[in-house]
Amino acid sequence: MRGIGCVAAGFAIVTVSDAAVKWVLPEIGVAVAMILRGIIGTIAILLLTGAWRAPGRVRPVNRSLMLWRCLLHCVVTVTFYFAWVRGMPLGDSYAVAAMAPLAMTLLAIPLLGEAVGWRRWLSTFAGFLGVLVMVRPGGDLWRWEAGVLLAGVGLMALTRLWMRVLARTDRPAGVTFWLMVAHVPVGIAVLPLFPPLGWPSAGGVVAILILGFGNACAHFLFARGFALAPVGLLAPFEYSTLVMGTVVGLLVWGDVPATTTVLGASVVVAAGLYNLYRERVRARLARAAEIAARPGLAGVG
């Protein structure tokens, strides 16, 4: 229950934080938003976890995997910020991001050695058909920014699998701290591509603070949640951002998702939830078989 609470709260916070950065991006630009997110987020994690007094709490254990996850996650952040600064609605970006659990199902085969049965193969295929419905030619999402975001979502699925691996060795504080730190050099590196646009307004300053502190708190909750509960139990809560993001986009920017976007996203979400259901069923069967194979239990019942 603690893991569920952490992840649910994290997704609620990250939705507000994403809305804040989408609001301020036209004022400061993608690269500056990355840098400020990293600086403020790093400070927030140091204060939140007390790591400024005990640096050992954020010391990385699996250093190479930590480095690659941080760098790839920063690339994912750039793709989302780019899509938002180009005008993509918050709800539409979350609809595309709903593909991540399906991509995780496929990536878990070579990376984690997981077996995928024909039912999950079929539902995953149906989910990708839902993506095609969303980005069909002539639709609201038929734009090259959506293609960039789809590539980012594929990388996001990989970083989430790596977070499952890191949860076995590294503390949530360390996973989040180094992710926030990585945003600063990556933001500086992309400055030539996304130069500063200007100084933020008073409302922009508030949005920047929400962006930095909100993302730090959300990712700390994610890391903590995945360390406390199985991913199959927590993953369905990711889809809550689709609903919250659509509502926030409607209230703040007046964005109404297209019918094809809603239809395609519904197919993707249904496929993702079914895959999670099948994963839990297979896990229960595997546990039952393991218990039955233990010495002294044969023939019981």
Side-chain angles (χ1 to χ4, degrees):
M1 291 303 296
R2 287 199 304 257
I4 291 174
C6 286
V7 169
F11 281 124
I13 294 172
V14 85
T15 302
V16 176
S17 180
D18 286 348
V21 71
K22 178 175 169 57
W23 177 273
V24 77
L25 275 171
E27 299 182 12
I28 61 176
V30 173
V32 174
M34 290 279 295
I35 296 170
L36 292 176
R37 171 181 175 173
I39 294 173
I40 299 173
T42 299
I43 295 172
I45 289 300
L46 289 175
L47 296 175
L48 182 65
T49 64
W52 62 278
R53 292 175 300 182
R57 295 178 182 177
V58 297
R59 184 175 295 117
V61 177
N62 193 340
R63 296 186 179 185
S64 60
L65 185 60
M66 182 81 78
L67 173 63
W68 281 108
R69 180 187 179 270
C70 290
L71 291 178
L72 282 189
H73 197 288
C74 288
V75 173
V76 173
T77 303
V78 170
T79 62
F80 273 86
Y81 286 9
F82 171 74
W84 291 335
V85 81
R86 295 282 298 179
M88 179 177 286
L90 196 64
D92 286 0
S93 66
Y94 286 162
V96 175
M99 186 196 74
L102 301 179
M104 288 175 66
T105 298
L106 299 182
L107 289 173
I109 299 173
L111 296 180
L112 302 181
E114 293 186 2
V116 176
W118 66 269
R119 295 179 182 86
R120 282 197 286 171
W121 275 111
L122 188 60
S123 64
T124 301
F125 177 73
F128 282 112
L129 289 181
V131 175
L132 295 180
V133 171
M134 288 191 287
V135 298
R136 67 179 180 83
D140 283 9
L141 285 180
W142 182 247
R143 45 197 296 179
W144 67 280
E145 294 91 345
V148 173
L149 189 58
L150 275 171
V153 170
L155 293 179
M156 182 170 68
L158 180 59
T159 63
R160 289 183 178 175
L161 286 178
W162 282 349
M163 185 168 71
R164 290 168 59 179
V165 178
L166 282 173
R168 303 169 187 168
T169 58
D170 289 78
R171 297 181 178 183
V175 173
T176 313
F177 173 79
W178 292 109
L179 176 60
M180 294 296 107
V181 169
H183 277 72
V184 179
V186 173
I188 294 173
V190 300
L191 271 173
L193 297 175
F194 306 103
L197 299 180
W199 292 97
S201 61
V205 172
V206 175
I208 289 170
L209 293 175
I210 295 174
L211 157 68
F213 284 101
N215 268 282
C217 293
H219 282 281
F220 176 75
L221 289 170
F222 292 151
R224 180 62 177 160
F226 278 99
L228 288 171
V231 65
L233 186 64
L234 302 177
F237 290 91
E238 178 180 351
Y239 297 120
S240 64
T241 60
L242 181 56
V243 177
M244 292 186 290
T246 301
V247 172
V248 171
L250 177 63
L251 295 177
V252 178
W253 291 280
D255 296 326
V256 179
T259 303
T260 52
T261 301
V262 175
L263 178 61
S266 299
V267 174
V268 172
V269 171
L273 291 175
Y274 180 78
N275 279 359
L276 292 170
Y277 164 74
R278 287 299 307 172
E279 184 178 342
R280 296 184 67 181
V281 168
R282 290 176 63 89
R284 285 199 300 268
L285 292 176
R287 285 196 299 270
E290 181 182 356
I291 293 173
R294 290 176 183 174
L297 294 181
V300 176

